[in-house]
Amino acid sequence: MTSATHHATKEQSHEWITAEDIAPDEVNTSPKKRPNAFTELMSSAKKPKPKPTAEDVQPTSTFEKAKNVVKGWDPRNGLGTYIEKPETNPEGRVVEYDDDFVVIRDKYPKASVHLLLIPRLGQYHTQHPLHLLSTDPAFLATVRTRIARLKSLAAAELRRLYGPLSASDTPYQSALEDLMSSPSPPSSSQVAALPSGRDWEANIIAGVHTHPSMNHLHIHALSREMHSECVKHKKHYLSFTTSFLVRMEEFPLEQGSERFSPGDWPSWDMKCWRCGENYKNKFARLKGHLEEEFDVWKRE
């Protein structure tokens, strides 16, 4: 199998996101301190769009032209904003970053917690994720390590959001409350000794889409309950609850795998992620059911 360059163009059929989902991000170029992963995770403050510089208006090289495209001329290159200058924390969405990767909160989350892991090195930007993760063992190993951390981070955020409501998390929540109420600050060993409580990480999934609609390679890590106002139509739901999402544990794919060509996936039936009930094409009914399932799920 050979690596392939990925471009989300009209020749790709059945893209799963709409025009509103790939609207150019507004960018803030004022320097900020590196955000704390937990405090910034659910921040939604928007920042003003910067004034274009002479360099932006009159690119002098192919590289500069590419930079300008990433900055918003082509909305499918919107993720480039976070790759280029994550230290400016565009729209307050950057969770963490280093020289190799940046982690952001998805602008249009499809669940309570929805993170994107984006490689920063140019050699990866336009490669198709299914091909790259199936043919580059070193890159796959690195991504798996990073995703393991993101799953832990996302699970901690789920616990923060819903732990006090969860029956199975009561042992942890009660012990934590007692520990935090003690007159002395808790030690790391005391925190480590807290009851395990609910396995929130079991509710986190991670993977890539068969046909990504954003040009820069990215990996999703999100909670599986699909509770979000941004789940607006059938394709949104199917893209994260069917085999259209190739999960990290499935890689590497074999050469010629049918996963590279999902077929007419938008015609697939919609089944509840939790109970399996088939809603076929009845999205409105499914949405109502998902709200009921979400209420039960968070209280488990």
Side-chain angles (χ1 to χ4, degrees), residues 40-59:
E40 288 293 329
L41 187 59
M42 301 306 292
S43 170
S44 60
K46 291 187 177 181
K47 310 301 179 183
K49 187 174 182 179
K51 295 180 180 179
T53 64
E55 184 180 42
D56 296 331
V57 176
Q58 297 180 335

Side-chain angles (χ1 to χ4, degrees), residues 51-224:
K51 295 180 180 179
T53 64
E55 184 180 42
D56 296 331
V57 176
Q58 297 180 335
T60 58
S61 67
T62 300
F63 173 73
E64 291 301 331
K65 289 179 182 179
K67 284 174 61 180
N68 287 345
V69 170
V70 166
K71 288 180 179 178
W73 299 100
D74 180 353
R76 296 185 188 280
N77 280 331
L79 296 180
T81 298
Y82 309 102
I83 296 170
E84 187 179 354
K85 291 184 178 180
E87 68 277 6
T88 65
N89 194 14
E91 288 196 325
R93 297 190 177 281
V94 176
V95 176
E96 61 184 17
Y97 66 91
D98 57 24
D99 291 341
D100 298 320
F101 290 89
V102 60
V103 177
I104 68 169
R105 292 176 302 105
D106 195 293
K107 187 174 183 178
Y108 299 97
K110 301 305 184 291
S112 297
V113 183
H114 190 167
L115 304 176
L116 298 182
L117 176 68
I118 313 172
R120 296 187 67 192
L121 300 181
Q123 68 196 73
Y124 299 129
H125 289 175
T126 58
Q127 293 199 49
H128 194 290
L130 268 62
H131 288 278
L132 181 60
L133 292 168
S134 298
T135 60
D136 190 330
F139 181 75
L140 175 60
T142 298
V143 168
R144 279 182 168 153
T145 298
R146 298 284 183 143
I147 286 296
R149 168 172 166 72
L150 290 198
K151 283 187 172 183
S152 177
L153 186 65
E157 180 62 10
L158 279 185
R159 170 167 271 162
R160 185 189 71 81
L161 290 171
Y162 307 123
L165 303 174
S166 173
S168 58
D169 210 38
T170 298
Y172 173 88
Q173 296 291 331
S174 297
L176 178 64
E177 184 176 355
D178 292 341
L179 185 60
M180 299 307 291
S181 299
S182 63
S184 302
S187 65
S188 57
S189 59
Q190 287 176 307
V191 173
L194 288 171
S196 58
R198 182 171 177 173
D199 183 5
W200 293 100
E201 194 165 320
N203 292 278
I204 307 298
I205 60 177
V208 296
H209 285 125
T210 303
H211 295 309
S213 288
M214 300 298 283
N215 289 342
H216 290 87
L217 189 149
H218 56 283
I219 302 97
H220 297 267
L222 69 160
S223 50
R224 63 197 302 261

Side-chain angles (χ1 to χ4, degrees), residues 273-292:
W273 67 272
R274 188 167 180 271
C275 72
E277 185 174 353
N278 192 338
Y279 283 82
K280 298 184 178 180
N281 288 317
K282 299 176 182 178
F283 181 72
R285 285 187 57 192
L286 172 67
K287 281 288 285 185
H289 175 74
L290 290 178
E291 287 300 307
E292 297 173 359

